[in-house]
Amino acid sequence: MTEPIPAPRAPLPVRTSRLVLRTYREDDLEPLMEYYGDPDVTRFLLEEPWTPDAAEMQLARRMQRTGIDEPGSALALVAEFEGRVVGDVALWTTGDTTSRGEVGWAFHPGATGRGFATEAMRTVLQIAFDHYRMHRVVAQLDARNDRSAKLCERIGLKPEGRLREDWWSKGEWTDTLVYGMLEREWKTP
């Protein structure tokens, strides 16, 4: 079987029933700092709470992640509700192929509990499988992050394993949970 030919860029922005998912802009710096600067938000992420300098660097990187077109590429999107940034989501390739991807997300604490992450992540999976024709998508998360594990299950990702103390994060060894979905599972949930 041959590697699929990369799809053209996804048509953006994407509108869901309540959200607009779009690429990053310069004016996203302040809203991103609101939640990435919060230690509770970054507790289970690999990075520390953002400083203003880190925020500028991260924003510049994310502004470049506009689509999947080769191994190592990524699609990074801001989630807006009623014109306000409520979170962000990402899809990136893994390994030396564009047929396997990984997803990640972070949402403002004031926007949690309203289904925004579920809505945004279902849309990202739709982009991964229906637009980019990926074969497999995974999410890897800190095993202590119960909310993200529940999100994975809500959007149909299946638990695939627990890697014990495989990541040194913020001064301690942590376990990683791996969730995954195959294209055929997306097409026939």
Side-chain angles (χ1 to χ4, degrees), residues 2-182:
T2 61
E3 176 75 15
I5 296 170
R9 301 278 178 180
L12 296 171
V14 176
R15 297 184 193 296
T16 69
S17 62
R18 300 178 298 163
L19 301 174
V20 174
L21 301 178
R22 60 162 176 81
T23 54
Y24 285 78
R25 303 185 306 233
E26 290 284 340
D27 62 343
D28 292 327
L29 187 62
E30 187 176 318
L32 292 170
M33 270 295 298
E34 281 183 33
Y35 59 100
Y36 278 108
D38 182 341
D40 289 335
V41 172
T42 60
R43 177 176 177 212
F44 300 124
L45 300 179
L46 298 177
E47 58 207 42
E48 296 292 336
W50 286 6
T51 63
D53 288 342
E56 286 182 19
M57 183 180 68
Q58 286 286 351
L59 178 60
R61 271 192 220 153
R62 292 173 186 209
M63 287 175 67
Q64 301 301 311
R65 297 174 180 164
T66 58
I68 306 294
D69 54 9
E70 63 184 6
S73 58
L75 177 63
L77 302 172
V78 167
E80 283 185 344
F81 174 69
E82 297 180 345
R84 183 173 169 262
V85 174
V86 294
D88 60 274
V89 294
L91 168 68
W92 61 93
T93 61
T94 58
D96 59 353
T97 178
T98 60
S99 64
R100 292 187 318 241
E102 186 170 340
V103 292
W105 57 86
F107 279 78
H108 191 290
T112 59
R114 300 172 67 183
F116 293 146
T118 301
E119 192 172 322
M121 289 310 301
R122 283 187 178 138
T123 303
V124 170
L125 289 175
Q126 181 179 20
I127 292 168
F129 292 121
D130 294 345
H131 182 77
Y132 289 120
R133 302 285 186 227
M134 288 189 168
H135 169 70
R136 172 179 166 75
V137 173
V138 299
Q140 297 188 64
L141 48 125
D142 187 309
R144 300 168 297 175
N145 191 341
D146 295 331
R147 293 183 83 162
S148 284
K150 288 176 182 170
L151 173 61
C152 287
E153 292 169 15
R154 273 195 310 277
I155 63 175
L157 297 175
K158 300 199 180 341
E160 295 187 338
R162 181 185 195 110
L163 306 174
R164 297 177 308 130
E165 295 186 12
D166 73 316
W167 201 264
W168 181 257
S169 179
K170 300 177 182 152
E172 64 182 311
W173 286 104
T174 61
D175 292 3
T176 299
L177 294 179
V178 179
Y179 286 82
M181 180 183 281
L182 301 174

